Amino acid sequence: MLDRRSALASAKPYASPVLQISEARGFSLLQAAGPAKTISPITGKLPAKIGTAMQADGRTLMRTGENQFWIIGPENDGIAAKLNGIAILTPLSHSRTRIVIEGAPTRDVLGKSIPLDFHPTVFKPGMFAMTGIHHTPVLVHCTNEHRFEIYALRTFALSVYDWLTDAALEFAG
């Protein structure tokens, strides 16, 4: 069997005393489309508003559209089998790379090229946005005040990672 190779296998690690940028591996990402009332008996309560995420049973649930959800769980999550026939499912695990950026200057780094207001009173933990970094589509998820996860298409993951590390150079200490 083939092993999955990271899209960031050739990336140089980035760590400074105040900022770390890395890849988070070992996750599953499933897009489920259908009414919340048919999906929630399997997943538990779902976010009410587009752009919000919540935690339930070791998974992150994101409402990405009116009847569309991202379900992020452990690598071998069996949620797809439970939702089969209940929702329209699209596995996205192998098409996305999850990049984590954390530390006090995280919002300053992201604000250099992402057209969002990253002020802590505006972009709060539990919120996410589908946006772009230099015309590259990404989903940016605020997991706590100084930690964000960026889901980039695998094809563009190294470019996104390189952009983040370049934008973070002033914080290299």
Side-chain angles (χ1 to χ4, degrees), residues 28-32 38-44 46 56-61 69-87 89-91 93:
S28 66
L29 173 56
L30 179 69
Q31 181 172 277
T38 62
I39 296 172
S40 64
I42 306 297
T43 62
L46 291 164
D57 296 326
R59 296 182 185 97
T60 301
L61 308 171
F69 304 90
W70 273 18
I71 303 168
I72 303 154
E75 190 167 19
N76 296 314
D77 195 354
I79 193 78
K82 295 176 184 176
L83 287 170
N84 193 23
I86 294 172
L89 305 176
T90 308
S93 302

Side-chain angles (χ1 to χ4, degrees), residues 5-172:
R5 183 170 188 256
S6 166
L8 300 180
S10 64
K12 296 176 185 173
Y14 181 94
S16 79
V18 295
L19 188 69
Q20 293 77 43
I21 303 171
S22 61
E23 178 183 12
R25 297 182 187 181
F27 68 97
S28 66
L29 173 56
L30 179 69
Q31 181 172 277
K37 66 183 179 184
T38 62
I39 296 172
S40 64
I42 306 297
T43 62
K45 185 178 178 184
L46 291 164
K49 289 177 48 182
I50 295 169
T52 58
M54 57 193 305
Q55 302 295 314
D57 296 326
R59 296 182 185 97
T60 301
L61 308 171
M62 298 179 170
R63 180 171 227 137
T64 58
E66 184 61 34
N67 289 309
Q68 188 168 304
F69 304 90
W70 273 18
I71 303 168
I72 303 154
E75 190 167 19
N76 296 314
D77 195 354
I79 193 78
K82 295 176 184 176
L83 287 170
N84 193 23
I86 294 172
I88 299 168
L89 305 176
T90 308
L92 299 175
S93 302
H94 295 287
S95 68
R96 300 294 192 281
T97 297
R98 181 168 59 174
I99 300 168
V100 176
I101 177 169
E102 56 189 325
T106 295
R107 293 173 185 272
D108 294 328
V109 171
L110 295 175
K112 289 183 178 184
S113 182
I114 299 174
L116 296 172
D117 185 347
F118 284 103
H119 193 276
T121 61
V122 177
F123 206 119
K124 301 174 185 177
M127 296 177 70
F128 71 88
M130 291 187 171
T131 184
I133 295 176
H134 293 295
H135 304 289
T136 301
V138 295
L139 183 142
V140 179
H141 178 209
C142 179
T143 59
N144 73 40
E145 185 178 355
H146 299 298
R147 185 177 191 276
F148 287 77
E149 294 179 352
I150 299 170
Y151 293 83
L153 291 167
R154 182 177 167 75
T155 307
F156 301 108
L158 186 56
S159 294
V160 169
Y161 184 86
D162 285 346
W163 177 87
L164 288 169
T165 58
D166 284 351
L169 286 175
E170 72 176 282
F171 303 105

